[in-house]
Amino acid sequence: MNLTLKVWRQKNTEDKGKLVTYPASDISPDMSFLEMLDVVNEGLIKKNEDPIHFDHDCREGICGMCSLHINGRPHGPKQGITTCQLHMRSFKDGETIVIEPWRAAAFPVIKDLATNREAFERIQQAGGFISVNTGGVPDANEIPIPKVIADEAFNSATCIQCGACVAACKNASAMLFVSAKVSQLALLPQGQPERYRRVQAMVAQMDAEGFGNCTNTGACEAECPKEISISNIARMNRDYLNAKLFKDEY
Amino acid sequence: MSNYAKTFSSSLGKKLIMSLTGLFLCIFLVVHLIGNLQLFKDDGGQAFNAYSYFMTHFPPIKIVSYILYISIIVHAVYALILTTGNRKARPVGYAYYKGEANSPWTSRNMGILGTIILIFLVVHMSNFWAQYHWGDLPHARYEVSLTNPQDVVVTPIPFDGSEIAHADYVDAQAGKQVLIAKDLYKIVTESFSQWWYVLLYVISMAALSFHLIHGFRSAFQTLGWDNSKYIPLIRFLGVWVFGVLIPLAFAAMPIYIFLFR
Ligand code: FES
């Protein structure tokens, strides 16, 4: 395959940056999107040019590092996968592909396509944990949890913190990420003691990081590589309003 | 900051305000629609004018009407505040953004739709509401036979600068119910005899339709009302009742008057 890439190049956080066009020739349809970029980068290095910087680590859809906005959509045209799981056979020969970094004030560009997503870490540190050691694996059925609840908590916990929800949202809102992190603990017994303190702390940190306000477009759930549902957002809204308006502080 | 001040300045708190004012406006739409059905009556405006007087003079409704004006203003102002925040959250936009791939058009254009509705409200209220309260309105005298309510004699009282008192009484001797009221009906029918005015209303109701198709359901999501049992009902109400039926019924009024009055 031969493709034309329009890639966002930006020297550093302060640089204005611009889209630069590169040809990508002799690309195998079986390559992953990141392997295709590796090939283009090899060509750039041979020509003594600065290679395109992008985040990646596991390359199997579990770490959440890869983060490319491809042809107008986070993680490209396919649903339920990360950029590293996207293959070139999803594109047509001769196609022009626009590649941009996640766009959000809270995710400043470090260089080219790599963004700083520490804002997510700070939200987690504000309350996305259980303060005590929950001990070893308890006996099965020692604490009964309905299967649907356990499944839902597990679905929420599949979030890999890639930030595609923020990237997809027209408001750059982080609600899907925060609500998944709130939900995975709010659904289970171990998360109950800190349930209402947690949601308030995490929402406060989310607001402080400068993410936008959710308008319930559903773009986040449609683009999430782990297909996390926006019913998590409803749960977080419920818990937050409940905590703020009806619960005593403790 | 107090707990409430903190709550309502948070992103979720501001959204709560949008949601509650929006739902209140939805309830108002239902009341407004039912009342306006009087326009379809072929009684020279007697029922409509009596209703208009009631709505502007019955104290509990007057109180609710102030809550309504506040809701409209707060809904619009908070939309502006939230949108400004959202712009700031993405200072550098995408060169290529394919929103249609992941979200409905209505959900991405609530601001534009809301602006059309707001402009409509200004025109609508200055033409009818402000006219009714402070304008030089003609009056009409209705004499309805007590034995046959279909027998209505209408006498227009054109505005001539003199004060005319509202009256609603039974003249037992003549066997008639007499109503003297501001003739808003005349203003309404005259307005809707102009085609461009009808068109403005129809376009605005289309905007209302799209606004509510997303807005109604979205309000419940913001409140955290989400449950597999009642969400299908909320979705149905949002699309078919608030998104289709209500805007369609409102749009039918100017069209009906244009064609048949
Ligand atoms: S590189 Fe780890 S998820 Fe893509």
Side-chain angles (χ1 to χ4, degrees), chain B residues 48-81:
Chain B
F48 182 73
N49 285 338
Y51 160 73
S52 305
Y53 183 82
F54 172 76
M55 290 305 271
T56 42
H57 291 81
F58 186 53
I61 292 188
K62 276 186 89 168
I63 295 168
V64 175
S65 72
Y66 289 117
I67 303 176
L68 172 72
Y69 309 144
I70 293 168
S71 291
I72 295 172
I73 294 167
V74 167
H75 196 73
V77 169
Y78 268 77
L80 209 63
I81 294 172

PDB file of all heavy atoms in Angstrom, chain B residues 48-81:
ATOM      1  N   PHE B  48     -59.998  31.518  24.259  1.00  0.00           N
ATOM      2  CA  PHE B  48     -58.570  31.869  24.298  1.00  0.00           C
ATOM      3  C   PHE B  48     -58.347  33.142  25.110  1.00  0.00           C
ATOM      4  O   PHE B  48     -57.438  33.213  25.935  1.00  0.00           O
ATOM      5  CB  PHE B  48     -58.041  32.026  22.874  1.00  0.00           C
ATOM      6  CG  PHE B  48     -56.579  32.345  22.819  1.00  0.00           C
ATOM      7  CD1 PHE B  48     -55.630  31.385  23.107  1.00  0.00           C
ATOM      8  CD2 PHE B  48     -56.145  33.632  22.498  1.00  0.00           C
ATOM      9  CE1 PHE B  48     -54.278  31.673  23.070  1.00  0.00           C
ATOM     10  CE2 PHE B  48     -54.800  33.930  22.463  1.00  0.00           C
ATOM     11  CZ  PHE B  48     -53.856  32.956  22.746  1.00  0.00           C
ATOM     12  N   ASN B  49     -59.189  34.146  24.895  1.00  0.00           N
ATOM     13  CA  ASN B  49     -59.019  35.407  25.615  1.00  0.00           C
ATOM     14  C   ASN B  49     -59.330  35.246  27.100  1.00  0.00           C
ATOM     15  O   ASN B  49     -58.679  35.873  27.940  1.00  0.00           O
ATOM     16  CB  ASN B  49     -59.897  36.499  24.988  1.00  0.00           C
ATOM     17  CG  ASN B  49     -59.304  36.984  23.669  1.00  0.00           C
ATOM     18  OD1 ASN B  49     -58.099  36.821  23.432  1.00  0.00           O
ATOM     19  ND2 ASN B  49     -60.130  37.553  22.822  1.00  0.00           N
ATOM     20  N   ALA B  50     -60.323  34.414  27.418  1.00  0.00           N
ATOM     21  CA  ALA B  50     -60.636  34.155  28.823  1.00  0.00           C
ATOM     22  C   ALA B  50     -59.465  33.449  29.481  1.00  0.00           C
ATOM     23  O   ALA B  50     -59.068  33.764  30.611  1.00  0.00           O
ATOM     24  CB  ALA B  50     -61.897  33.310  28.927  1.00  0.00           C
ATOM     25  N   TYR B  51     -58.875  32.515  28.752  1.00  0.00           N
ATOM     26  CA  TYR B  51     -57.721  31.756  29.248  1.00  0.00           C
ATOM     27  C   TYR B  51     -56.517  32.684  29.456  1.00  0.00           C
ATOM     28  O   TYR B  51     -55.826  32.606  30.474  1.00  0.00           O
ATOM     29  CB  TYR B  51     -57.419  30.635  28.253  1.00  0.00           C
ATOM     30  CG  TYR B  51     -56.043  30.045  28.328  1.00  0.00           C
ATOM     31  CD1 TYR B  51     -55.681  29.208  29.375  1.00  0.00           C
ATOM     32  CD2 TYR B  51     -55.104  30.307  27.333  1.00  0.00           C
ATOM     33  CE1 TYR B  51     -54.414  28.665  29.427  1.00  0.00           C
ATOM     34  CE2 TYR B  51     -53.837  29.772  27.382  1.00  0.00           C
ATOM     35  CZ  TYR B  51     -53.486  28.952  28.431  1.00  0.00           C
ATOM     36  OH  TYR B  51     -52.251  28.419  28.491  1.00  0.00           O
ATOM     37  N   SER B  52     -56.285  33.587  28.507  1.00  0.00           N
ATOM     38  CA  SER B  52     -55.158  34.522  28.617  1.00  0.00           C
ATOM     39  C   SER B  52     -55.305  35.376  29.870  1.00  0.00           C
ATOM     40  O   SER B  52     -54.327  35.631  30.580  1.00  0.00           O
ATOM     41  CB  SER B  52     -55.104  35.460  27.411  1.00  0.00           C
ATOM     42  OG  SER B  52     -55.072  34.727  26.232  1.00  0.00           O
ATOM     43  N   TYR B  53     -56.546  35.805  30.136  1.00  0.00           N
ATOM     44  CA  TYR B  53     -56.769  36.631  31.319  1.00  0.00           C
ATOM     45  C   TYR B  53     -56.484  35.829  32.585  1.00  0.00           C
ATOM     46  O   TYR B  53     -55.793  36.286  33.494  1.00  0.00           O
ATOM     47  CB  TYR B  53     -58.207  37.146  31.346  1.00  0.00           C
ATOM     48  CG  TYR B  53     -58.465  38.070  32.513  1.00  0.00           C
ATOM     49  CD1 TYR B  53     -58.101  39.406  32.436  1.00  0.00           C
ATOM     50  CD2 TYR B  53     -59.028  37.590  33.690  1.00  0.00           C
ATOM     51  CE1 TYR B  53     -58.291  40.254  33.521  1.00  0.00           C
ATOM     52  CE2 TYR B  53     -59.217  38.429  34.781  1.00  0.00           C
ATOM     53  CZ  TYR B  53     -58.858  39.755  34.686  1.00  0.00           C
ATOM     54  OH  TYR B  53     -59.035  40.587  35.760  1.00  0.00           O
ATOM     55  N   PHE B  54     -56.970  34.616  32.603  1.00  0.00           N
ATOM     56  CA  PHE B  54     -56.766  33.740  33.768  1.00  0.00           C
ATOM     57  C   PHE B  54     -55.271  33.530  34.023  1.00  0.00           C
ATOM     58  O   PHE B  54     -54.797  33.650  35.153  1.00  0.00           O
ATOM     59  CB  PHE B  54     -57.474  32.405  33.525  1.00  0.00           C
ATOM     60  CG  PHE B  54     -57.177  31.372  34.577  1.00  0.00           C
ATOM     61  CD1 PHE B  54     -57.770  31.451  35.828  1.00  0.00           C
ATOM     62  CD2 PHE B  54     -56.303  30.318  34.307  1.00  0.00           C
ATOM     63  CE1 PHE B  54     -57.493  30.508  36.805  1.00  0.00           C
ATOM     64  CE2 PHE B  54     -56.020  29.370  35.281  1.00  0.00           C
ATOM     65  CZ  PHE B  54     -56.620  29.462  36.534  1.00  0.00           C
ATOM     66  N   MET B  55     -54.543  33.239  32.961  1.00  0.00           N
ATOM     67  CA  MET B  55     -53.114  32.922  33.111  1.00  0.00           C
ATOM     68  C   MET B  55     -52.314  34.125  33.609  1.00  0.00           C
ATOM     69  O   MET B  55     -51.259  33.965  34.201  1.00  0.00           O
ATOM     70  CB  MET B  55     -52.520  32.448  31.778  1.00  0.00           C
ATOM     71  CG  MET B  55     -53.000  31.093  31.330  1.00  0.00           C
ATOM     72  SD  MET B  55     -52.749  29.797  32.549  1.00  0.00           S
ATOM     73  CE  MET B  55     -51.113  29.229  32.112  1.00  0.00           C
ATOM     74  N   THR B  56     -52.781  35.335  33.329  1.00  0.00           N
ATOM     75  CA  THR B  56     -52.009  36.509  33.746  1.00  0.00           C
ATOM     76  C   THR B  56     -52.521  37.101  35.053  1.00  0.00           C
ATOM     77  O   THR B  56     -51.930  38.039  35.569  1.00  0.00           O
ATOM     78  CB  THR B  56     -52.041  37.596  32.652  1.00  0.00           C
ATOM     79  OG1 THR B  56     -53.383  37.682  32.135  1.00  0.00           O
ATOM     80  CG2 THR B  56     -51.091  37.272  31.524  1.00  0.00           C
ATOM     81  N   HIS B  57     -53.608  36.566  35.593  1.00  0.00           N
ATOM     82  CA  HIS B  57     -54.155  37.175  36.800  1.00  0.00           C
ATOM     83  C   HIS B  57     -54.340  36.237  37.978  1.00  0.00           C
ATOM     84  O   HIS B  57     -54.569  36.692  39.089  1.00  0.00           O
ATOM     85  CB  HIS B  57     -55.486  37.868  36.477  1.00  0.00           C
ATOM     86  CG  HIS B  57     -55.283  39.071  35.627  1.00  0.00           C
ATOM     87  ND1 HIS B  57     -55.122  38.999  34.264  1.00  0.00           N
ATOM     88  CD2 HIS B  57     -55.170  40.377  35.951  1.00  0.00           C
ATOM     89  CE1 HIS B  57     -54.934  40.218  33.783  1.00  0.00           C
ATOM     90  NE2 HIS B  57     -54.957  41.070  34.779  1.00  0.00           N
ATOM     91  N   PHE B  58     -54.265  34.945  37.780  1.00  0.00           N
ATOM     92  CA  PHE B  58     -54.439  33.993  38.883  1.00  0.00           C
ATOM     93  C   PHE B  58     -53.113  33.941  39.663  1.00  0.00           C
ATOM     94  O   PHE B  58     -52.085  33.548  39.098  1.00  0.00           O
ATOM     95  CB  PHE B  58     -54.810  32.630  38.305  1.00  0.00           C
ATOM     96  CG  PHE B  58     -55.162  31.604  39.341  1.00  0.00           C
ATOM     97  CD1 PHE B  58     -56.122  31.870  40.310  1.00  0.00           C
ATOM     98  CD2 PHE B  58     -54.539  30.363  39.337  1.00  0.00           C
ATOM     99  CE1 PHE B  58     -56.443  30.924  41.262  1.00  0.00           C
ATOM    100  CE2 PHE B  58     -54.862  29.402  40.290  1.00  0.00           C
ATOM    101  CZ  PHE B  58     -55.822  29.691  41.253  1.00  0.00           C
ATOM    102  N   PRO B  59     -53.093  34.375  40.938  1.00  0.00           N
ATOM    103  CA  PRO B  59     -51.821  34.543  41.656  1.00  0.00           C
ATOM    104  C   PRO B  59     -50.864  33.342  41.601  1.00  0.00           C
ATOM    105  O   PRO B  59     -49.683  33.547  41.308  1.00  0.00           O
ATOM    106  CB  PRO B  59     -52.258  34.866  43.084  1.00  0.00           C
ATOM    107  CG  PRO B  59     -53.601  35.487  42.913  1.00  0.00           C
ATOM    108  CD  PRO B  59     -54.241  34.811  41.740  1.00  0.00           C
ATOM    109  N   PRO B  60     -51.302  32.102  41.881  1.00  0.00           N
ATOM    110  CA  PRO B  60     -50.319  31.003  41.836  1.00  0.00           C
ATOM    111  C   PRO B  60     -49.641  30.891  40.477  1.00  0.00           C
ATOM    112  O   PRO B  60     -48.436  30.627  40.382  1.00  0.00           O
ATOM    113  CB  PRO B  60     -51.168  29.754  42.126  1.00  0.00           C
ATOM    114  CG  PRO B  60     -52.381  30.254  42.808  1.00  0.00           C
ATOM    115  CD  PRO B  60     -52.644  31.625  42.278  1.00  0.00           C
ATOM    116  N   ILE B  61     -50.405  31.123  39.407  1.00  0.00           N
ATOM    117  CA  ILE B  61     -49.807  31.025  38.078  1.00  0.00           C
ATOM    118  C   ILE B  61     -48.845  32.186  37.835  1.00  0.00           C
ATOM    119  O   ILE B  61     -47.811  32.023  37.191  1.00  0.00           O
ATOM    120  CB  ILE B  61     -50.918  30.954  37.005  1.00  0.00           C
ATOM    121  CG1 ILE B  61     -51.638  29.628  37.179  1.00  0.00           C
ATOM    122  CG2 ILE B  61     -50.345  31.110  35.598  1.00  0.00           C
ATOM    123  CD1 ILE B  61     -52.621  29.276  36.136  1.00  0.00           C
ATOM    124  N   LYS B  62     -49.172  33.341  38.416  1.00  0.00           N
ATOM    125  CA  LYS B  62     -48.249  34.471  38.277  1.00  0.00           C
ATOM    126  C   LYS B  62     -46.899  34.140  38.912  1.00  0.00           C
ATOM    127  O   LYS B  62     -45.844  34.424  38.342  1.00  0.00           O
ATOM    128  CB  LYS B  62     -48.838  35.719  38.942  1.00  0.00           C
ATOM    129  CG  LYS B  62     -49.783  36.448  38.019  1.00  0.00           C
ATOM    130  CD  LYS B  62     -50.236  37.758  38.625  1.00  0.00           C
ATOM    131  CE  LYS B  62     -49.296  38.891  38.261  1.00  0.00           C
ATOM    132  NZ  LYS B  62     -49.900  40.195  38.621  1.00  0.00           N
ATOM    133  N   ILE B  63     -46.948  33.500  40.080  1.00  0.00           N
ATOM    134  CA  ILE B  63     -45.699  33.137  40.763  1.00  0.00           C
ATOM    135  C   ILE B  63     -44.911  32.164  39.884  1.00  0.00           C
ATOM    136  O   ILE B  63     -43.713  32.337  39.653  1.00  0.00           O
ATOM    137  CB  ILE B  63     -45.992  32.516  42.152  1.00  0.00           C
ATOM    138  CG1 ILE B  63     -46.628  33.575  43.055  1.00  0.00           C
ATOM    139  CG2 ILE B  63     -44.714  31.968  42.773  1.00  0.00           C
ATOM    140  CD1 ILE B  63     -47.230  33.031  44.327  1.00  0.00           C
ATOM    141  N   VAL B  64     -45.613  31.157  39.367  1.00  0.00           N
ATOM    142  CA  VAL B  64     -44.934  30.178  38.521  1.00  0.00           C
ATOM    143  C   VAL B  64     -44.350  30.863  37.288  1.00  0.00           C
ATOM    144  O   VAL B  64     -43.266  30.518  36.826  1.00  0.00           O
ATOM    145  CB  VAL B  64     -45.903  29.043  38.114  1.00  0.00           C
ATOM    146  CG1 VAL B  64     -45.235  28.090  37.132  1.00  0.00           C
ATOM    147  CG2 VAL B  64     -46.369  28.274  39.344  1.00  0.00           C
ATOM    148  N   SER B  65     -45.056  31.889  36.780  1.00  0.00           N
ATOM    149  CA  SER B  65     -44.548  32.544  35.575  1.00  0.00           C
ATOM    150  C   SER B  65     -43.225  33.257  35.861  1.00  0.00           C
ATOM    151  O   SER B  65     -42.351  33.298  35.006  1.00  0.00           O
ATOM    152  CB  SER B  65     -45.589  33.500  34.988  1.00  0.00           C
ATOM    153  OG  SER B  65     -45.714  34.635  35.811  1.00  0.00           O
ATOM    154  N   TYR B  66     -43.064  33.790  37.089  1.00  0.00           N
ATOM    155  CA  TYR B  66     -41.766  34.398  37.401  1.00  0.00           C
ATOM    156  C   TYR B  66     -40.677  33.347  37.465  1.00  0.00           C
ATOM    157  O   TYR B  66     -39.559  33.571  37.001  1.00  0.00           O
ATOM    158  CB  TYR B  66     -41.849  35.184  38.718  1.00  0.00           C
ATOM    159  CG  TYR B  66     -42.666  36.446  38.561  1.00  0.00           C
ATOM    160  CD1 TYR B  66     -43.843  36.643  39.266  1.00  0.00           C
ATOM    161  CD2 TYR B  66     -42.261  37.430  37.660  1.00  0.00           C
ATOM    162  CE1 TYR B  66     -44.600  37.788  39.092  1.00  0.00           C
ATOM    163  CE2 TYR B  66     -43.014  38.574  37.473  1.00  0.00           C
ATOM    164  CZ  TYR B  66     -44.185  38.748  38.189  1.00  0.00           C
ATOM    165  OH  TYR B  66     -44.929  39.875  37.998  1.00  0.00           O
ATOM    166  N   ILE B  67     -40.989  32.183  38.026  1.00  0.00           N
ATOM    167  CA  ILE B  67     -40.003  31.089  38.048  1.00  0.00           C
ATOM    168  C   ILE B  67     -39.641  30.727  36.606  1.00  0.00           C
ATOM    169  O   ILE B  67     -38.487  30.456  36.288  1.00  0.00           O
ATOM    170  CB  ILE B  67     -40.565  29.850  38.795  1.00  0.00           C
ATOM    171  CG1 ILE B  67     -40.972  30.234  40.221  1.00  0.00           C
ATOM    172  CG2 ILE B  67     -39.538  28.722  38.815  1.00  0.00           C
ATOM    173  CD1 ILE B  67     -41.633  29.113  40.996  1.00  0.00           C
ATOM    174  N   LEU B  68     -40.634  30.780  35.757  1.00  0.00           N
ATOM    175  CA  LEU B  68     -40.409  30.449  34.345  1.00  0.00           C
ATOM    176  C   LEU B  68     -39.433  31.431  33.694  1.00  0.00           C
ATOM    177  O   LEU B  68     -38.473  31.016  33.037  1.00  0.00           O
ATOM    178  CB  LEU B  68     -41.746  30.452  33.609  1.00  0.00           C
ATOM    179  CG  LEU B  68     -41.681  30.309  32.098  1.00  0.00           C
ATOM    180  CD1 LEU B  68     -41.300  28.891  31.731  1.00  0.00           C
ATOM    181  CD2 LEU B  68     -43.011  30.669  31.465  1.00  0.00           C
ATOM    182  N   TYR B  69     -39.666  32.746  33.896  1.00  0.00           N
ATOM    183  CA  TYR B  69     -38.765  33.730  33.281  1.00  0.00           C
ATOM    184  C   TYR B  69     -37.343  33.530  33.790  1.00  0.00           C
ATOM    185  O   TYR B  69     -36.375  33.569  33.020  1.00  0.00           O
ATOM    186  CB  TYR B  69     -39.216  35.169  33.580  1.00  0.00           C
ATOM    187  CG  TYR B  69     -40.671  35.451  33.280  1.00  0.00           C
ATOM    188  CD1 TYR B  69     -41.424  36.302  34.072  1.00  0.00           C
ATOM    189  CD2 TYR B  69     -41.297  34.845  32.188  1.00  0.00           C
ATOM    190  CE1 TYR B  69     -42.760  36.561  33.804  1.00  0.00           C
ATOM    191  CE2 TYR B  69     -42.637  35.090  31.922  1.00  0.00           C
ATOM    192  CZ  TYR B  69     -43.371  35.934  32.733  1.00  0.00           C
ATOM    193  OH  TYR B  69     -44.683  36.167  32.477  1.00  0.00           O
ATOM    194  N   ILE B  70     -37.241  33.287  35.109  1.00  0.00           N
ATOM    195  CA  ILE B  70     -35.909  33.077  35.689  1.00  0.00           C
ATOM    196  C   ILE B  70     -35.266  31.833  35.083  1.00  0.00           C
ATOM    197  O   ILE B  70     -34.090  31.832  34.736  1.00  0.00           O
ATOM    198  CB  ILE B  70     -36.013  32.966  37.233  1.00  0.00           C
ATOM    199  CG1 ILE B  70     -36.449  34.321  37.822  1.00  0.00           C
ATOM    200  CG2 ILE B  70     -34.687  32.534  37.843  1.00  0.00           C
ATOM    201  CD1 ILE B  70     -36.867  34.264  39.279  1.00  0.00           C
ATOM    202  N   SER B  71     -36.055  30.770  34.919  1.00  0.00           N
ATOM    203  CA  SER B  71     -35.518  29.525  34.361  1.00  0.00           C
ATOM    204  C   SER B  71     -34.959  29.742  32.958  1.00  0.00           C
ATOM    205  O   SER B  71     -33.883  29.231  32.629  1.00  0.00           O
ATOM    206  CB  SER B  71     -36.598  28.454  34.286  1.00  0.00           C
ATOM    207  OG  SER B  71     -36.948  28.056  35.572  1.00  0.00           O
ATOM    208  N   ILE B  72     -35.693  30.484  32.150  1.00  0.00           N
ATOM    209  CA  ILE B  72     -35.225  30.717  30.780  1.00  0.00           C
ATOM    210  C   ILE B  72     -33.881  31.438  30.807  1.00  0.00           C
ATOM    211  O   ILE B  72     -32.926  31.033  30.139  1.00  0.00           O
ATOM    212  CB  ILE B  72     -36.258  31.553  29.978  1.00  0.00           C
ATOM    213  CG1 ILE B  72     -37.559  30.760  29.803  1.00  0.00           C
ATOM    214  CG2 ILE B  72     -35.692  31.943  28.617  1.00  0.00           C
ATOM    215  CD1 ILE B  72     -38.698  31.557  29.198  1.00  0.00           C
ATOM    216  N   ILE B  73     -33.814  32.490  31.648  1.00  0.00           N
ATOM    217  CA  ILE B  73     -32.584  33.280  31.699  1.00  0.00           C
ATOM    218  C   ILE B  73     -31.429  32.432  32.245  1.00  0.00           C
ATOM    219  O   ILE B  73     -30.339  32.396  31.670  1.00  0.00           O
ATOM    220  CB  ILE B  73     -32.800  34.553  32.555  1.00  0.00           C
ATOM    221  CG1 ILE B  73     -33.821  35.460  31.842  1.00  0.00           C
ATOM    222  CG2 ILE B  73     -31.488  35.291  32.784  1.00  0.00           C
ATOM    223  CD1 ILE B  73     -34.359  36.578  32.700  1.00  0.00           C
ATOM    224  N   VAL B  74     -31.697  31.710  33.339  1.00  0.00           N
ATOM    225  CA  VAL B  74     -30.635  30.907  33.957  1.00  0.00           C
ATOM    226  C   VAL B  74     -30.161  29.813  32.986  1.00  0.00           C
ATOM    227  O   VAL B  74     -28.958  29.571  32.838  1.00  0.00           O
ATOM    228  CB  VAL B  74     -31.127  30.284  35.287  1.00  0.00           C
ATOM    229  CG1 VAL B  74     -30.175  29.220  35.778  1.00  0.00           C
ATOM    230  CG2 VAL B  74     -31.297  31.370  36.340  1.00  0.00           C
ATOM    231  N   HIS B  75     -31.089  29.169  32.305  1.00  0.00           N
ATOM    232  CA  HIS B  75     -30.739  28.107  31.349  1.00  0.00           C
ATOM    233  C   HIS B  75     -29.809  28.665  30.262  1.00  0.00           C
ATOM    234  O   HIS B  75     -28.810  28.045  29.912  1.00  0.00           O
ATOM    235  CB  HIS B  75     -32.020  27.545  30.727  1.00  0.00           C
ATOM    236  CG  HIS B  75     -31.858  26.224  30.033  1.00  0.00           C
ATOM    237  ND1 HIS B  75     -31.685  25.036  30.701  1.00  0.00           N
ATOM    238  CD2 HIS B  75     -31.843  25.895  28.718  1.00  0.00           C
ATOM    239  CE1 HIS B  75     -31.578  24.043  29.843  1.00  0.00           C
ATOM    240  NE2 HIS B  75     -31.664  24.542  28.614  1.00  0.00           N
ATOM    241  N   ALA B  76     -30.141  29.857  29.764  1.00  0.00           N
ATOM    242  CA  ALA B  76     -29.330  30.451  28.698  1.00  0.00           C
ATOM    243  C   ALA B  76     -27.973  30.907  29.225  1.00  0.00           C
ATOM    244  O   ALA B  76     -26.932  30.667  28.598  1.00  0.00           O
ATOM    245  CB  ALA B  76     -30.072  31.623  28.063  1.00  0.00           C
ATOM    246  N   VAL B  77     -27.971  31.541  30.414  1.00  0.00           N
ATOM    247  CA  VAL B  77     -26.709  32.055  30.962  1.00  0.00           C
ATOM    248  C   VAL B  77     -25.764  30.902  31.306  1.00  0.00           C
ATOM    249  O   VAL B  77     -24.576  30.926  30.972  1.00  0.00           O
ATOM    250  CB  VAL B  77     -26.980  32.935  32.213  1.00  0.00           C
ATOM    251  CG1 VAL B  77     -25.697  33.248  32.950  1.00  0.00           C
ATOM    252  CG2 VAL B  77     -27.690  34.224  31.805  1.00  0.00           C
ATOM    253  N   TYR B  78     -26.312  29.841  31.917  1.00  0.00           N
ATOM    254  CA  TYR B  78     -25.446  28.712  32.265  1.00  0.00           C
ATOM    255  C   TYR B  78     -24.950  27.978  31.029  1.00  0.00           C
ATOM    256  O   TYR B  78     -23.836  27.458  31.019  1.00  0.00           O
ATOM    257  CB  TYR B  78     -26.157  27.769  33.250  1.00  0.00           C
ATOM    258  CG  TYR B  78     -25.850  28.154  34.669  1.00  0.00           C
ATOM    259  CD1 TYR B  78     -26.477  29.247  35.244  1.00  0.00           C
ATOM    260  CD2 TYR B  78     -24.891  27.470  35.409  1.00  0.00           C
ATOM    261  CE1 TYR B  78     -26.160  29.653  36.531  1.00  0.00           C
ATOM    262  CE2 TYR B  78     -24.574  27.857  36.698  1.00  0.00           C
ATOM    263  CZ  TYR B  78     -25.209  28.947  37.258  1.00  0.00           C
ATOM    264  OH  TYR B  78     -24.883  29.347  38.527  1.00  0.00           O
ATOM    265  N   ALA B  79     -25.762  27.955  29.987  1.00  0.00           N
ATOM    266  CA  ALA B  79     -25.297  27.352  28.732  1.00  0.00           C
ATOM    267  C   ALA B  79     -24.073  28.111  28.235  1.00  0.00           C
ATOM    268  O   ALA B  79     -23.082  27.510  27.790  1.00  0.00           O
ATOM    269  CB  ALA B  79     -26.400  27.393  27.681  1.00  0.00           C
ATOM    270  N   LEU B  80     -24.135  29.428  28.370  1.00  0.00           N
ATOM    271  CA  LEU B  80     -23.023  30.267  27.928  1.00  0.00           C
ATOM    272  C   LEU B  80     -21.779  30.014  28.779  1.00  0.00           C
ATOM    273  O   LEU B  80     -20.667  29.849  28.260  1.00  0.00           O
ATOM    274  CB  LEU B  80     -23.453  31.734  28.034  1.00  0.00           C
ATOM    275  CG  LEU B  80     -22.810  32.694  27.055  1.00  0.00           C
ATOM    276  CD1 LEU B  80     -23.190  32.337  25.633  1.00  0.00           C
ATOM    277  CD2 LEU B  80     -23.234  34.127  27.376  1.00  0.00           C
ATOM    278  N   ILE B  81     -21.988  29.936  30.100  1.00  0.00           N
ATOM    279  CA  ILE B  81     -20.863  29.703  31.019  1.00  0.00           C
ATOM    280  C   ILE B  81     -20.220  28.343  30.714  1.00  0.00           C
ATOM    281  O   ILE B  81     -18.994  28.230  30.590  1.00  0.00           O
ATOM    282  CB  ILE B  81     -21.338  29.738  32.491  1.00  0.00           C
ATOM    283  CG1 ILE B  81     -21.824  31.151  32.849  1.00  0.00           C
ATOM    284  CG2 ILE B  81     -20.224  29.288  33.429  1.00  0.00           C
ATOM    285  CD1 ILE B  81     -22.484  31.243  34.221  1.00  0.00           C
TER     286      ILE B  81
END
